[in-house]
Amino acid sequence: MGPLKITRLYKLWDQLRSSYWFLPTVIVALSIGLASLLIFADHRYPFDQTSRSSWLFLGTAESARVILSTIATAMITIVSLTFSMTIVVLTLASSQFGPRLIYNFMRDRNNQVALGVFLACFVFCILILRSVKSDVAGNFVPQLGTTAAMAFALFSVGTLIFFIHHIADSIHASRIIANVRNELELIVTRLMPERSGTGLSEETEWQRLMDMIDFSSMPIAARDRGILQAIEEAELLEWAQRHDLLIRLYHRPGAFVIRGTPLFEVYPRERVPVDQLVLLHDAFRFGNKRTLVQDIEFAFQQLVEIGVRALSPGINDPFTAMSCVEELGSGIALVAMRGSQPRIWRDTGGKPRILVKAVEFEGLADIAFNQIRQAGSRHVAVMIRMLEVIGDVASTLSDQQQRSVLRRHADAVHAAATQSARNKGDRADIDARFQQAVSQLGEINKADA
């Protein structure tokens, strides 16, 4: 019936996951609950001061205050250090790998957990410290709470060591590329169905429906502006089925939409309930940045951005660019195995209700190879690696049209590299890799024949 049925939940989860407040807030809330529970236990089941348990704190109220205040002070200092290191890493990532990669760093759960642990330890110590009493009204030393605070502090030290290691590892180029690759695989697997072999029949039906819509449809203008982050297809399908209408979408997630331009059209015009069109606008989720909720192209473009920046004169890192090319080739091969997104969404009865602009193999291949080819035409090693990757991907394909797309890119890479290479030996290497890629494509043609 189409891609996601719970798009709104995916978008909400993506917003929470990419925020630096949600997970730390949850951890702090848990620490507040734990502190309250331990204070209650200390009041309800006080330990005998003559006990000599090796693990329990049995000091005075004053020593408890000193320990708790020392830990709290240290934790708030570590929190400041954590913020400073995070800002430095975000700045480096933005300048070297591109500002759109900040989205991935914000989604890093390890950094969020580390920040949450430090804040939770601080809040925990403050709450336990507040319960300590040594005055005429009575004397109370939270033995369990103070002991737990000391254990919490030791755990926080371990977390700090892990955070320093992780923050240093997270700005390594190979780690960043691997993280983006993992996100790419997840979104392709989630949004692209397994190949069903019904492409020809869907193409025929798509063309028939498009011809039918062109005669009598009502275009609807966008009320909002910004990046289309997600489409709640369940709402659209329910509305179209209820009114027995067909909807054609002009944009897919990731596109920038200008307010007042056509967003979708509804067929047939004479049956459109104009007073209820506002319900359809609520199914389109806009924002100011691209996300990985439904935007497959964004995952590919993140790898492309890393590769293009690596090839810039200021960075000049062809090895990172070659790693990006390899991962892009892996992503293209995965897309070829999964098949194209469905362009026709159907209701529960199987009747076509929504026509969408689906992401296709050719478009993703253009995104993956065009910009890096243009930026790296003077880097012989990068061009040779592109030809090798194209040949490797070709060996996984069984579709003639997809092989034709790769052949077009192989020709473009070969032409750009040959034109830029001035050394005779470099041109010979480029020609050899090109012939190898063509041979791999040719072998598949013979096998199909």
Side-chain angles (χ1 to χ4, degrees):
M1 190 175 64
L4 302 173
K5 295 183 180 179
I6 50 174
T7 306
R8 188 174 303 176
L9 294 179
Y10 269 112
K11 187 172 186 298
L12 176 61
W13 171 242
D14 183 77
Q15 290 175 336
L16 294 178
R17 184 182 174 187
S18 59
S19 68
Y20 246 65
W21 62 266
F22 176 70
L23 194 54
T25 300
V26 171
I27 297 175
V28 169
L30 292 175
S31 73
I32 293 174
L34 178 61
S36 302
L37 180 62
L38 292 179
I39 292 172
F40 171 79
D42 276 317
H43 276 291
R44 189 71 178 269
Y45 308 106
F47 284 82
D48 186 358
Q49 292 294 327
T50 61
S51 172
R52 289 299 173 218
S53 176
S54 60
W55 60 270
L56 188 66
F57 175 80
L58 296 173
T60 64
E62 186 60 30
S63 60
R65 287 196 183 97
V66 172
I67 291 174
L68 292 170
S69 60
T70 301
I71 295 175
T73 302
M75 285 303 108
I76 202 64
T77 303
I78 291 177
V79 168
S80 302
L81 175 65
T82 303
F83 271 115
S84 300
M85 293 178 66
T86 302
I87 293 300
V88 169
V89 168
L90 291 178
T91 302
L92 289 174
S94 176
S95 60
Q96 183 167 354
F97 301 107
R100 276 153 291 280
L101 267 296
I102 293 180
Y103 171 79
N104 296 66
F105 281 92
M106 295 291 288
R107 288 160 58 92
D108 192 324
R109 196 171 301 162
N110 293 320
N111 294 341
Q112 297 174 9
V113 169
L115 177 61
V117 167
F118 301 145
L119 288 172
C121 187
F122 170 76
V123 172
F124 182 87
C125 291
I126 292 297
L127 294 177
I128 299 297
L129 180 62
R130 180 177 176 272
S131 67
V132 179
K133 290 185 175 59
S134 58
D135 51 28
V136 294
N139 186 65
F140 174 70
V141 179
Q143 298 165 327
L144 287 175
T146 306
T147 303
M150 296 168 65
F152 210 157
L154 292 176
F155 179 74
S156 298
V157 171
T159 304
L160 177 61
I161 296 172
F162 166 78
F163 173 76
I164 293 174
H165 165 77
H166 177 72
I167 206 73
D169 183 62
S170 64
I171 59 176
H172 196 281
S174 60
R175 171 66 63 181
I176 294 174
I177 294 172
N179 290 339
V180 177
R181 184 267 324 279
N182 293 337
E183 294 285 358
L184 185 151
E185 291 181 352
L186 285 174
I187 190 172
V188 169
T189 304
R190 176 163 54 86
L191 295 181
M192 285 190 161
E194 294 285 356
R195 183 177 294 276
S196 60
T198 59
L200 183 60
S201 60
E202 183 177 273
E203 180 69 27
T204 303
E205 186 175 14
W206 164 273
Q207 191 59 52
R208 179 183 65 84
L209 294 172
M210 289 292 294
D211 294 340
M212 183 175 63
I213 280 182
D214 288 339
F215 286 102
S216 176
S217 63
M218 175 182 291
I220 308 300
R223 297 186 310 172
D224 301 310
R225 57 160 297 280
I227 295 175
L228 181 59
Q229 294 179 333
I231 300 173
E232 186 62 64
E233 83 287 350
E235 295 182 11
L236 293 178
L237 284 170
E238 181 184 0
W239 189 91
Q241 185 176 13
R242 185 167 64 249
H243 299 286
D244 192 22
L245 296 169
L246 181 64
I247 301 173
R248 176 196 175 192
L249 306 182
Y250 285 126
H251 305 281
R252 58 173 169 253
F256 185 87
V257 179
I258 300 175
R259 184 185 292 110
T261 58
L263 181 62
F264 59 92
E265 61 181 347
V266 187
Y267 170 87
R269 176 190 297 267
E270 58 272 12
R271 292 210 309 266
V272 177
V274 180
D275 57 329
Q276 297 187 26
L277 287 176
V278 65
L279 300 176
L280 288 186
H281 286 282
D282 295 336
F284 297 87
R285 312 293 174 183
F286 290 90
N288 56 9
K289 62 181 180 181
R290 300 181 71 169
T291 69
L292 294 172
V293 178
Q294 289 183 339
D295 190 356
I296 295 178
E297 294 177 341
F298 183 47
F300 282 86
Q301 288 176 345
Q302 285 184 319
L303 284 173
V304 171
E305 182 173 14
I306 297 174
V308 171
R309 280 181 170 264
L311 294 172
S312 65
I315 298 177
N316 194 25
D317 181 11
F319 297 101
T320 295
M322 286 189 284
S323 297
C324 291
V325 169
E326 292 164 355
E327 297 298 353
L328 286 166
S330 175
I332 290 297
L334 178 61
V335 169
M337 288 188 294
R338 302 291 296 186
S340 300
Q341 280 186 296
R343 297 194 293 174
I344 302 176
W345 295 353
R346 304 174 187 274
D347 59 19
T348 53
K351 187 174 181 179
R353 291 299 181 189
I354 302 176
L355 305 180
V356 301
K357 294 183 65 175
V359 177
E360 298 181 342
F361 178 87
E362 183 175 3
L364 292 178
D366 291 343
I367 291 173
F369 297 126
N370 281 344
Q371 292 190 53
I372 293 182
R373 184 195 74 240
Q374 294 161 2
S377 60
R378 296 185 179 180
H379 294 266
V380 175
V382 175
M383 294 293 98
I384 289 176
R385 191 66 190 122
M386 287 188 72
L387 290 171
E388 292 173 342
V389 167
I390 290 174
D392 291 340
V393 175
S395 64
T396 68
L397 302 182
S398 59
D399 184 272
Q400 179 62 42
Q401 185 175 0
Q402 292 175 349
R403 292 197 301 270
S404 299
V405 171
L406 288 188
R407 177 57 191 266
R408 173 169 58 84
H409 282 287
D411 291 339
V413 171
H414 178 251
T418 303
Q419 183 178 3
S420 299
R422 298 182 178 180
N423 183 274
K424 185 178 180 180
D426 289 342
R427 289 196 296 270
D429 289 339
I430 294 169
D431 290 338
R433 295 306 191 282
F434 174 69
Q435 292 301 325
Q436 181 180 351
V438 171
S439 175
Q440 288 173 294
L441 288 164
E443 289 176 3
I444 298 176
N445 286 333
K446 293 176 183 178
D448 285 348

